Amino acid sequence: MILMWLGSWALLLFALSESQKQVSSIFAPLQKTLLDKGLEGSLVSQVIRAASVVLGEASPEKSLYAGMGAANLRVVGVRSAVLLMCLSPLGAWWSLLLASLYLNFNGLLFSGLGALSFVPFVKGTKSASYLRLLLFVGLFLIAGDVALRSSSVLLSYLGTSELAFFLADGRFMSVILLCLCGILLNVFVGIEFWSVTLALCLLVANVISVNGALALFAGERTGQMLLFWWRSRGLNQECRRLSTPLALVSVSGVFAGLMLAGFLRGSGGIGFSGDVDVFREKILLFVSLSLVMLAVQFISQMVWGHFAGRVAMNEIQEVKYFSKTWIRQEFISVSMLEWLRGRVHKRLSEIKYHRQGLSSVKEGQIPESLKARLKAEEDSLQSFVQD
């Protein structure tokens, strides 16, 4: 029975991850159009275009790494790269929308419609993308229903032990422990918003409280930013200058949002009518308070970005680009990666042109360190384009 519950959670993770990718592929043409127009311009147009790109990604993690990748490759200005990173919480819209559908609709209907995407005369058409999205939404809802039915095994394992009471307790110590567990689990679970699926499963099973579910979510958001900082530490000094304060500000925003969410719940600031059953009320409350946390994180990042985006980028930097691990583990989406490669071609051409110009200058007039840096940058960018 425990394997059935674990299997349902794994299916929830799979369906959530694949639905995110499907949403991103649906919006990819619009993203390409916006990116081809450029992210530069007036502040208003920059914000609108960057926000549209982030919403189309449907993934805060991918938007965060896309902004850092653009800054690292120096294919856009500092303000444009910072905007992508600061606006990244907007990408959570799809995951929270899917969470709000949990136990509210029959997944078999969505899966049945989605199965039409495998029909030969539908496969390969534009409609197939939307049908595949419905398929993954259906799988998510079916897995949620199975998790609810098999949740009794969790209660039987926990029984009336002290651990059961501790997890169900929504007070300070329990919340802090679950938050720390969320930070640690984030290192091992590589799927974004795993905390949403786990929190929903445990919440409807009455294993944890709403405060505990929010603590798991806060732990994942904190863990994501700490991993982002860790993975950016080997980049050039411009990226390190951006990643460290952003991680600190973002984590502070997460905890401030967690405290605000707890205050709103305790004061009755967010509530639902008596027509909503217990399960759905918990789910809607969790989604609503998660939005509050993301809003505080978003505001804190935007305040930091207002000042960070004004600093000019130093063109003379060490050649330290992000590793191939970023590409293999899909930290950056396929559509964004293609766009970055296209912009790198332009920068690569400029570097080759400058190196040809330097070859005509008399020996000794240009420092050897500058020539070596340009050569190393050309080799690195050439490798990135060819991968």
Side-chain angles (χ1 to χ4, degrees), residues 260-313:
L260 179 60
F263 171 77
L264 289 174
R265 182 169 182 252
S267 63
I270 295 181
F272 300 95
S273 66
D275 296 334
V276 181
D277 62 45
V278 178
F279 288 147
R280 290 178 175 82
E281 183 180 6
K282 284 184 176 181
I283 293 168
L284 291 175
L285 189 59
F286 169 69
V287 171
S288 301
L289 293 176
S290 296
L291 281 171
V292 171
M293 290 173 55
L294 286 170
V296 177
Q297 184 188 22
F298 170 76
I299 292 171
S300 63
Q301 289 184 185
M302 288 299 289
V303 171
W304 169 81
H306 174 73
F307 300 99
R310 294 182 173 185
V311 180
M313 182 182 293

Side-chain angles (χ1 to χ4, degrees), residues 285-349:
L285 189 59
F286 169 69
V287 171
S288 301
L289 293 176
S290 296
L291 281 171
V292 171
M293 290 173 55
L294 286 170
V296 177
Q297 184 188 22
F298 170 76
I299 292 171
S300 63
Q301 289 184 185
M302 288 299 289
V303 171
W304 169 81
H306 174 73
F307 300 99
R310 294 182 173 185
V311 180
M313 182 182 293
N314 183 8
E315 285 294 326
I316 306 299
Q317 299 186 48
E318 70 267 42
V319 182
K320 292 183 178 179
Y321 295 122
F322 58 84
S323 66
K324 294 179 182 179
T325 304
W326 286 34
I327 300 174
R328 286 197 302 268
Q329 297 189 11
E330 298 182 355
F331 294 150
I332 302 177
S333 67
V334 175
S335 57
M336 182 61 73
L337 196 60
E338 289 178 355
W339 180 74
L340 288 175
R341 281 200 173 106
R343 296 298 293 263
V344 163
H345 276 292
K346 180 181 178 182
R347 180 167 178 80
L348 190 56
S349 299

Side-chain angles (χ1 to χ4, degrees), residues 135-259:
L135 174 63
F136 292 124
V137 171
L139 287 176
F140 181 87
L141 298 175
I142 291 171
D145 186 64
V146 174
L148 177 61
R149 294 176 188 276
S150 57
S151 61
S152 59
V153 68
L154 296 176
L155 297 175
S156 64
Y157 271 101
L158 292 172
T160 56
S161 63
E162 291 184 4
L163 178 61
F165 287 108
F166 185 77
L167 292 175
D169 187 5
R171 288 179 291 184
F172 182 76
M173 287 304 298
S174 175
V175 168
I176 291 298
L177 179 63
L178 285 171
C179 187
L180 291 175
C181 289
I183 294 173
L184 293 174
L185 277 173
N186 194 70
V187 177
F188 302 102
V189 184
I191 298 178
E192 190 179 17
F193 287 118
W194 61 266
S195 63
V196 173
T197 59
L198 183 59
L200 289 173
C201 289
L202 297 178
L203 194 59
V204 297
N206 294 318
V207 174
I208 60 174
S209 63
V210 175
N211 287 348
L214 292 172
L216 276 178
F217 183 66
E220 188 209 349
R221 297 302 302 159
T222 301
Q224 287 281 6
M225 292 309 301
L226 293 178
L227 283 176
F228 168 73
W229 167 78
W230 180 258
R231 290 162 180 161
S232 302
R233 76 194 189 285
L235 305 181
N236 55 32
Q237 67 264 35
E238 187 70 32
C239 294
R240 294 195 298 271
R241 181 186 67 82
L242 294 174
S243 63
T244 302
L246 175 58
L248 289 173
V249 167
S250 184
V251 169
S252 301
V254 169
F255 282 101
L258 180 61
M259 289 188 288

